[in-house]
Amino acid sequence: MKVGIISINRYSKHLNYGAALHSYAFQHYLDLHGIDNVIIDYFPKFMEHYSLKYPFLSKQPKEQLKRSLFWFFNFFPNIRKYKKFENFFKNHYRMTKCQYTEPVLRNAQLDFDTVICESDVIWSPHSTGGFDNGYFCNMPSMQGKNKISYAACIGYTNFSEKRQERFRALLKNFDAISVREIQGTEFTQQFTEQKVYNVLDPTLLLDAKDYQDIIIPPKESNYVLVYNCLKNNRKMLRDAKKVAQQKNMKVIELSVYYNNFYLNKVKLSIGIEEFLGYFQNASYVFTNAFHGVCFSLIFKKNFYTYARGTKDSRVTSILHLLELDSKFLENDEELPPIEDIDYQKVYRNLERERKNSEEFLFNALNQTNA
């Protein structure tokens, strides 16, 4: 058996840590179970007019001037960060030799018998500029292969009737279907007669020890970590500062918001290995990102996560499964007193979800030999 993994990873706007790490984790997980696999180097259509290295040169019709100025001021940090990301993919991904666009992948000769559409917002038409055929195995090159979705995410589910019918048709490509969020699982089940399974994000299939070989520890110690992603949350920053003052610690912020420098020590250009190191060594974590929650859980940190609008279902879903609902804060909520998380209880729940996820995945993979 050989598996081809397709997802949003190398080509993700904003040099996204979570996007890089979920595919790394999934590949590593399959390796640990002796499954031959490769990540398909897929360049999705939504990236066609976006420059990862020079974002301010991208064609961005909405708020073009504002975004261009933002990225221009991030020019040198982004260059450093871009190089670190490329080195990570070179050193820690096992990818196809060929880079595929959708037209090229459509009729390619693929040397694997199973395709797994893996994790993140691959089924969100709002994130991918409409449904992407590559993320639904909707290509002649994938006919006759075992086709699996693992932890796909839909995100915002307010679909038009036309989009609902398209979604229903695309799901017919799959031999086994799983979705990452509870809400997304329930939504998807309305459009297929197959059973839709709820599974964990690939990063949560691994333990802290499984990331140890790639972690670069920070020079700093005794700090409160803020992972401030896609939406500059000033309430979260104030809460982190409050806790840091109470505990006689400093605040370290991982973000692209250079304008927060007067509040915190802002790390604009860290690589993926450094990102993991900052989570591993943090005393407390404040985040508004799903993968910020995941790595807080993996490294067993006391944390709070903050609302970010339409993207909150992925966070509330995993917190609910692990009985950590109280760790999600709306932005008008007062920060409760910090209490230690009972990670023995959390990991009992996590091991249950890991078992369910593994059972789905290996049952789906075994269809190849059925």
Side-chain angles (χ1 to χ4, degrees), residues 297 303 321-324 341-352:
L297 294 167
F303 72 93
L321 288 172
L322 303 181
E323 299 181 59
L324 288 171
I341 294 173
D342 181 357
Y343 269 104
Q344 284 192 331
K345 179 181 177 182
V346 169
Y347 265 67
R348 284 196 297 270
N349 292 329
L350 183 58
E351 287 302 327
R352 177 197 67 224

Side-chain angles (χ1 to χ4, degrees), residues 234-250:
R234 298 297 178 88
K235 167 68 163 56
M236 179 173 66
L237 294 174
R238 290 194 298 271
D239 286 350
K241 191 80 169 180
K242 179 181 176 181
V243 171
Q245 289 173 344
Q246 291 171 352
K247 305 292 183 180
N248 194 27
M249 296 178 179
K250 54 182 162 292

Side-chain angles (χ1 to χ4, degrees), residues 66-332:
K66 182 179 177 181
R67 292 189 184 194
S68 295
L69 286 172
F70 177 82
W71 285 113
F72 181 78
F73 283 108
N74 272 288
F75 179 81
F76 290 110
N78 195 74
I79 292 292
R80 292 192 293 270
K81 188 175 175 181
Y82 175 82
K83 290 178 179 178
K84 290 177 180 180
F85 268 61
E86 285 300 298
N87 283 334
F88 179 82
F89 297 127
K90 178 181 177 181
N91 295 328
H92 300 299
Y93 268 37
R94 193 168 58 255
M95 303 189 82
T96 55
K97 293 180 180 178
C98 176
Q99 181 198 79
Y100 296 96
T101 59
E102 183 177 323
V104 173
L105 185 60
R106 179 171 291 278
N107 296 302
Q109 298 295 315
L110 303 177
D111 65 343
F112 32 82
D113 46 27
T114 296
V115 181
I116 301 181
C117 298
E118 173 264 318
S119 193
D120 221 341
V121 291
I122 54 173
W123 287 359
S124 168
H126 308 282
S127 299
T128 58
F131 292 127
D132 188 302
N133 287 311
Y135 300 138
F136 284 90
C137 295
N138 192 39
M139 297 186 169
S141 61
M142 298 180 186
Q143 289 181 2
K145 300 185 186 299
N146 185 21
K147 296 179 284 293
I148 302 166
S149 77
Y150 182 84
C153 175
I154 303 161
Y156 186 56
T157 56
N158 189 15
F159 288 2
S160 65
E161 287 188 18
K162 183 177 180 181
R163 189 161 272 173
Q164 288 180 32
E165 290 309 306
R166 177 66 174 156
F167 187 53
R168 189 188 307 275
L170 288 168
L171 289 175
K172 292 178 181 177
N173 289 310
F174 290 100
D175 299 291
I177 300 173
S178 68
V179 176
R180 191 175 63 182
E181 287 81 37
I182 297 168
Q183 299 92 326
T185 303
E186 294 169 350
F187 178 79
T188 304
Q189 190 64 76
Q190 301 173 63
F191 298 93
T192 178
E193 294 179 0
Q194 288 194 61
K195 179 174 173 55
V196 179
Y197 294 82
N198 180 232
V199 298
L200 291 173
D201 184 83
T203 57
L204 291 170
L205 297 176
L206 302 180
D207 282 315
K209 62 181 174 58
D210 299 309
Y211 293 97
Q212 200 59 49
D213 288 345
I214 64 170
I215 289 174
I216 297 177
K219 295 177 182 177
E220 299 92 340
S221 60
N222 199 37
Y223 58 88
V224 174
L225 181 68
V226 176
Y227 179 33
N228 193 11
C229 182
L230 294 181
K231 184 176 181 180
N232 191 7
N233 191 319
R234 298 297 178 88
K235 167 68 163 56
M236 179 173 66
L237 294 174
R238 290 194 298 271
D239 286 350
K241 191 80 169 180
K242 179 181 176 181
V243 171
Q245 289 173 344
Q246 291 171 352
K247 305 292 183 180
N248 194 27
M249 296 178 179
K250 54 182 162 292
V251 176
I252 293 177
E253 177 183 344
L254 311 182
S255 79
V256 296
Y257 301 112
Y258 61 88
N259 49 317
N260 289 346
F261 74 92
Y262 68 94
L263 294 170
N264 307 308
K265 189 171 185 179
V266 183
K267 300 287 184 175
L268 298 171
S269 57
I270 64 166
I272 294 158
E273 302 93 332
E274 296 165 293
F275 172 87
L276 292 172
Y278 275 108
F279 270 87
Q280 184 186 51
N281 290 279
S283 298
Y284 300 90
V285 175
F286 291 76
T287 185
N288 58 354
F290 171 73
H291 283 104
V293 172
C294 290
F295 286 102
S296 297
L297 294 167
I298 288 163
F299 294 117
K300 299 181 179 178
K301 301 300 174 181
N302 288 316
F303 72 93
Y304 276 102
T305 181
Y306 289 70
R308 208 174 72 192
T310 59
K311 301 179 184 295
D312 291 335
S313 64
R314 68 193 75 174
V315 171
T316 56
S317 178
I318 187 61
L319 293 179
H320 184 68
L321 288 172
L322 303 181
E323 299 181 59
L324 288 171
D325 304 79
S326 63
K327 295 301 172 181
F328 178 82
L329 297 179
E330 297 289 351
N331 288 309
D332 59 354

